[in-house]
Every structure is written in C-alpha cells, then in structure tokens.
Amino acid sequence: MTTALLPVRRLLRRGPAVVLAVALVLSAGACGKAKQAEKTQKGGTGASVEQGFKIGLLLPESKTARYERFDKPFFEARVAQLCPKCQVLYGNAQQQTNIQQQQAEAMFTNGIDVLVLDSVDTKAAASIVSSAKAKGIPVIAYDRLAEGPISGYVSFDNETVGRLQGTSLVEALKRGGDPKRGPIIMINGSPTDPNAAEYKRGAHSVLDGQVVIGREYDTPDWSNDKAQQETEQAITALGGPGRVIGAYVANDGMAGGAIAALKAAGFNPVPPVTGQDAELAAVQRIVVGDQYMTVFKPYLPEANAAAEMAIAAATGEKIPANTTKNNGTVTVPATILTPIPVTKDNVATTVAQPPYYTVAEICTPDFAAACKAAGIG
Ligand code: BGC
C-alpha cells in the first residue's frame, strides 16, 4: 500500500515523522486535521472527547466473577462519565490466547483509538501490543502486565497480595499451635499470568521457614477444577485426611476447589484456607468459617484509573499515574493500588458496602445466622 492511498487518520498513526510530512503537505484549510497531527505528536491518536472515539477493553476470562461483575461495568461507567460520546468495545477471551488475539484484531479493524488489555498470556499478548503499536494505537495494561511497548499500567501491589495471604495464614495456623505441626499445601495461579508469580513470591517471602510446605502447584488457567484435583492429590500424598493443617490458595475460585476437596476428604472443620478477589461465594464461605480469608482489591478505583488512562492516551493528554513501571521494554506511567485483607472480622466494613455487595446478597437464608453472629447486617 502506498502512503498516498492511506487515510489521513491511519497516516497520523504511523508516527511523528509521517505526521510531520503530512502536516507539511496539508493546506491551511485542513486546520482540524493539523490539530489532530499536533495531538498525535504528543502521543495520542488524534481522538477527541468532544467527538468521541472507540475504546477496546479485553478481559481474560469469566470463571472468576470479578471481570463481568465489576471490572467491565465500572470501566464502562467511568468512560461514559468522562467521554459520553465514546464507545467501549468489549471482549472476554474465556482464557483462550487465540481468542484474545482475534478479539484484538477485530477491534483494530473496527477502528479503536486505544486498547485496555488484561492479557490471558502476557508473552503471547506481546504480539497484540506490537501490532497495536504499529497502528499507532496505545495499549494500557490492565491488572496483568503485558510485554512490549505499552503506554500505561494499572494494577494492585501484587507482591503485597501474596504477603497478606501468607501473613494471614501463618497467624491462623499459630492460633492452633505450632505452625510447623503439619504440612500446608500451596496452590498458585497460572504460569502465564505475571501476577501469579508476584503473588507466589510475596507468599513465599512470609511462609518460607515459618511453615512446612508439603506440596506446591502452579495451576494452569487458574482452574478451580485443577485446584480441586491438586488438593486431592496433596491430601493423599501427605498422609491422608487430617494431616494437612492449612492451604495457601492464590484466589477464591481455586479456594472453592480446594475447600471442596478438603471437605470431601473429611476435614471438619476445614483448616485455614486463603483466597483473593472477595468473590461473593468466598465471602459467604468466610462468614460460615469454611474459608479463612480473601484479599479484596477495590475494583472501582482500578477500573476508573484504567478508563482515565485510556482516554488520556488516546487524546494525547498526560497519562494520570501514581508511579512508573518497567515491563522489560519500556518504563510507563502506572497506577498501583493497595489490596485489603478480609476475614470474618471486617467483611461488614469492606465488601458489604456499595458499590460491591449488599448485606442481603451475602446474608441469604443459609448464611443468615452466621452473618448475625459475625455482626454483618
Ligand atoms: C487477577 C486475579 C484473578 C486471577 C484469575 C489475576 O491476574 O489479578 O484477581 O483472580 O487473575 O483471573
């Protein structure tokens, strides 16, 4: 394709040199387009809030409830507030790398001006990032870091998530005596998710030396079913029912699988199990004492920060951030938020609050008595 055949907007996405050449050729009458070129030189795609533009949002899976329940609607709501004429195009990859790739390509064809990407596989996502870059479309890495020339990053302090989980587990184990009196099981997240490695590192920094790690697994796809199987295997390998004294589990979905395996093996009560995400089912398990803790990551400020960054990146404004992050390719503006540990004691003051859960949702008839005992509602 020759340069002459490309629409001006595509040319604008080709980078400052082309933009400059185009700007020189443009007649004085093409004032609006020259303005766009100016914006592009600042780093945006020439999009404007006044006219509106398309924003792509790609989330990785839907077995974990947060994405459809919180991340997506919060993101859309913030975009609607800040840029009423903007349109959010959405894709959920259902944990399939190739689907995420196709969704990204469809969005490029559809003319998005910025992409917010929560990658299924951070290495595979590098090709999404580089083809976006080639088209002049900035990419904001959402929750999970992506490789390649991204423009911004929003997440939580993920090592702290792991440390909070580890610390809580050790505290719970100490309440029952020597935390080394028996083995624990460690169930980490997906090896293709950089967050999983950070949770694991944070957890090990607390657990190593304080507990006996009997079996440890990295769980492909963050699969609840695999977590259940891993727990079954570990229970058998570690001497059968009764021996295991606790489980570090990286998120709530997998905690559900681990707890099912522990119950099926006759553990009653269930020993302390950790989680993450403050999923409704996990909060209910915490209330009745089947799960010891979860880590709540306030999704509203995370989604808001991503929407704000995406709009700034597309329009060439300064990207709002509270720090920077290096992903191995570039150092970018980053907003890193603080996770909150949740046990029975603080459900009422953390997640049982708008815009998260209502007390009625948590304290359904099966959980009403436990809620009352825990002072919820
Ligand atoms: C997220 C967690 C989530 C997990 C599985 C991680 O990258 O930070 O909140 O539980 O992926 O989707």
Side-chain angles (χ1 to χ4, degrees), residues 198-231:
E198 293 183 6
Y199 304 141
K200 183 174 163 178
R201 198 177 319 128
H204 272 293
S205 75
V206 176
L207 295 174
D208 292 357
Q210 293 213 67
V211 299
V212 180
I213 301 170
R215 282 287 180 285
E216 179 171 7
Y217 304 87
D218 289 337
T219 313
D221 297 336
W222 290 92
S223 159
N224 311 353
D225 297 340
K226 283 178 200 144
Q228 185 162 348
Q229 288 158 14
E230 289 163 355
T231 309

Side-chain angles (χ1 to χ4, degrees), residues 60-67 71 95 118-119 142-145 155-156 158 161 189-190 193-196 199 221-223 250-254 276-277 279 295 297 299 302:
E61 52 120 341
S62 59
K63 283 197 175 153
T64 301
R66 57 169 287 186
Y67 302 111
D71 297 270
Q95 199 55 47
D118 191 342
S119 54
Y142 185 65
D143 202 74
R144 301 178 184 174
L145 197 55
S155 194
F156 286 84
N158 294 314
V161 171
S190 165
D193 176 350
N195 288 352
Y199 304 141
D221 297 336
W222 290 92
S223 159
N251 81 349
D252 287 341
M254 298 196 305
Q276 165 181 201
D277 289 338
E279 292 206 343
V295 176
K297 300 188 297 185
Y299 304 111
E302 187 181 23

Side-chain angles (χ1 to χ4, degrees), residues 177-194:
D178 179 1
K180 290 184 171 174
R181 65 190 177 283
I184 69 150
I185 307 170
M186 256 190 111
I187 300 194
N188 305 306
S190 165
T192 67
D193 176 350

Side-chain angles (χ1 to χ4, degrees), residues 88-301:
V88 176
L89 308 186
Y90 175 64
N92 188 308
Q94 309 298 346
Q95 199 55 47
Q96 309 279 317
T97 309
N98 59 334
I99 293 184
Q100 188 159 69
Q101 181 81 39
Q102 287 158 15
Q103 289 173 334
E105 277 158 21
M107 287 180 178
F108 297 152
T109 308
N110 221 315
I112 53 166
D113 277 294
V114 58
L115 176 64
V116 175
L117 173 65
D118 191 342
S119 54
V120 174
D121 178 326
T122 181
K123 290 207 184 334
S127 74
I128 298 180
V129 175
S130 59
S131 75
K133 173 82 178 175
K135 294 171 170 61
I137 300 168
V139 177
I140 306 298
Y142 185 65
D143 202 74
R144 301 178 184 174
L145 197 55
E147 295 192 358
I150 56 171
S151 297
Y153 172 59
V154 182
S155 194
F156 286 84
D157 179 339
N158 294 314
E159 257 193 67
T160 297
V161 171
R163 271 195 295 274
L164 293 172
Q165 293 168 320
T167 306
S168 227
L169 182 59
V170 171
E171 272 167 21
L173 294 175
K174 281 187 176 161
R175 243 174 261 145
D178 179 1
K180 290 184 171 174
R181 65 190 177 283
I184 69 150
I185 307 170
M186 256 190 111
I187 300 194
N188 305 306
S190 165
T192 67
D193 176 350
N195 288 352
E198 293 183 6
Y199 304 141
K200 183 174 163 178
R201 198 177 319 128
H204 272 293
S205 75
V206 176
L207 295 174
D208 292 357
Q210 293 213 67
V211 299
V212 180
I213 301 170
R215 282 287 180 285
E216 179 171 7
Y217 304 87
D218 289 337
T219 313
D221 297 336
W222 290 92
S223 159
N224 311 353
D225 297 340
K226 283 178 200 144
Q228 185 162 348
Q229 288 158 14
E230 289 163 355
T231 309
E232 282 162 8
Q233 275 171 24
I235 292 169
T236 310
L238 296 171
R243 285 268 300 135
V244 172
I245 62 163
Y248 165 89
V249 186
N251 81 349
D252 287 341
M254 298 196 305
I259 290 167
L262 288 163
K263 282 188 162 180
F267 284 80
N268 184 18
V270 176
V273 173
T274 67
Q276 165 181 201
D277 289 338
E279 292 206 343
L280 183 56
V283 173
Q284 290 175 322
R285 287 194 295 265
I286 290 172
V287 171
V288 291
D290 280 348
Q291 182 172 327
Y292 180 65
M293 65 88 70
T294 185
V295 176
F296 172 47
K297 300 188 297 185
Y299 304 111
L300 186 66

